[in-house]
Amino acid sequence: MRILWNQAIRMDDGALLRADVYLPAREARYPVILSCGPYGKGYAFQESNAHAWERLVAAHPEILEGSSNKYQAWEVVDPEKWVPEGYAVVRVDSRGAGCSPGMLDPWSPRETKDLHDCIEWAGVQPWSNGKVGLTGISYYAMNAWQVACLQPPHLAAFCAWEGSSDHYREAMRHGGIASRFLSSWFARSVHRVQHGLGERGPKSRVTGEPVCGYDRIPEEELRQNRIDYDPYMLAHALEDESCRARSPDWSKVKAPFLSAANWGGQGLHTRGNFEGFMHAASRDKWLEAHGGAHWESFYTREGERLQKRFFGHFLKGEDTGWARQPRVELKIRHPGEKFVVRPESGWPLERTRWTRFYLNPGRMSLDRSEPGASTQIRYEALGEGLLFEITLQESMEITGPVVAKLYLASDTTDADVFLVLRVFAPDGSEVTFEGSNDPRTPVGLGWLRASRRKLDPKKSLPYRPWHTHDEARELTPGEAVELDIEIWPTCIVIPAGYRLCLAVRGKDYEYPGPALELPGLYTVTGVGPFRHDLAFDRPKEIFGGTNTLHFEPGRQPYLLLPVIPR
């Protein structure tokens, strides 16, 4: 390869971002694979996320083949596997990170415009054929959705691999309840490569140069040069223009794309990929869904082959077979981490039988017929809550978005509801999966703060309610309100004899076993870093009382499941 280190890219406001460019040895014009993010373009995967790298190569040793792995970096492609096939690979440090000075403000309009300018810069370089593609995991999927709205002329196609699309509903607040994720992620993964750390930060294992450049900025100035997420979440408890500006406008996303979702990505890496596929204006769009850790399938031989077929078609004009690629390709999930590939024509699946399972308060069961009960069940608002279950007499596939309708009262002015779809084997053990960010992820998760129950009738679908989150409607203590609670899209084939359960809880799901430590990352209890226990957001005097689930004739709580006929 020819490598151009720290190339300067001038933004429209005069700021300079820095990029590393990996080129084939022969001088010519090549299609471009570009990424721009805050993880430090020169920070080796093996050092920045050592535990993830070790797990990745242990599970997929073929990743080590065909590369020296010197240029591996977190959540982006390996140049040694793309450049020999005729691609130019461009990695840009986003503003305020690595070698690029400035204010570090992820997914802000300023950063999105920067990415637009980087695409346009790459599109006119002497080594570029004018076609730029974006790919990468998580962060790089999220900003791909955003920049696609600006329609940069040289953006030919993008792959959004496991990235959220709605900053408020998927990254910052689930159902209006603040998630710990952004603050913990920012402090854990981004602060360490902020521009201005100079030699206090990591060094490139290839060049020996500081990943964050040579500028040495005092700690207090560094703090002023980056967003502080806890105050931001406190100031933006409701969705406003600032939040909306960090999410895509689907009507403006028109470039061809491949959207790759993770069934086990409950909390960040699932919903946005399905929403993008359903609502983006692009005529050329494809959906894929898989399981496993979020850093895993992107790097596997299969995942790499999928991306190269996609980009070979749109960036090179080659016959890669992509014209025959099914619009939807799902890895259908079975207990025991078994996945079966199945092509489909759309999402949700056309043959879905939307089936109500009513919550029966007498037997604490899920019934296909309405119980007609008239009663109430109380539970601690911060406790384990209630469990409704059904033992299946024959196997059943659930693939698609899920929704629950509840009638709930609180003895205070608000209540947080956590819903969990759980499956248990006949021996009583719970069926969990290797999720994107937790090795013991349940089948499905949903959340809603009762005061955020207001729906947008134009955006709501029978199987996916849309809450406006633009006003707080406090509860009158003791009075039940109607709640439509979204459970993120999921997939599971449940064998006969297994139990399907709906847990109605007052706190996050916890796997019934000891917590696990992911070295250098966080403690996992079943929901990864997507916990909802911030004291400023859930004061006990409001959320620590008692909730009451109401059952009345004509107002019976139910779970709506996407049952797929055999």
Side-chain angles (χ1 to χ4, degrees), residues 125-140:
Q125 297 306 299
W127 36 260
S128 168
N129 75 349
K131 293 186 177 182
V132 179
L134 305 176
T135 191
I137 310 170
S138 189
Y139 195 100
Y140 303 97

Side-chain angles (χ1 to χ4, degrees), residues 448-464:
L448 184 63
R449 176 158 290 172
S451 61
R452 310 297 195 269
R453 63 191 180 278
K454 178 185 172 185
L455 295 172
D456 183 332
K458 293 182 179 179
K459 291 185 177 181
S460 291
L461 299 168
Y463 48 79
R464 198 272 286 126

Side-chain angles (χ1 to χ4, degrees), residues 431-480:
V431 176
T432 58
F433 293 89
E434 176 73 52
S436 66
N437 297 80
D438 196 302
R440 303 173 303 186
T441 302
V443 171
L445 293 172
W447 312 262
L448 184 63
R449 176 158 290 172
S451 61
R452 310 297 195 269
R453 63 191 180 278
K454 178 185 172 185
L455 295 172
D456 183 332
K458 293 182 179 179
K459 291 185 177 181
S460 291
L461 299 168
Y463 48 79
R464 198 272 286 126
W466 182 274
H467 299 93
T468 62
H469 295 294
D470 60 358
E471 65 173 300
R473 294 179 172 178
E474 291 188 347
L475 307 185
T476 299
E479 286 189 15

Side-chain angles (χ1 to χ4, degrees), residues 6 98-99 197-204 207-214:
N6 280 322
C99 294
L197 284 173
E199 294 186 335
R200 293 170 293 174
K203 288 185 170 58
S204 165
T207 67
E209 300 290 311
V211 167
C212 305
Y214 283 99

Side-chain angles (χ1 to χ4, degrees), residues 475-493:
L475 307 185
T476 299
E479 286 189 15
V481 294
E482 182 176 345
L483 304 179
D484 295 277
I485 305 176
E486 176 185 8
I487 298 176
W488 284 15
T490 188
C491 173
I492 179 70
V493 177

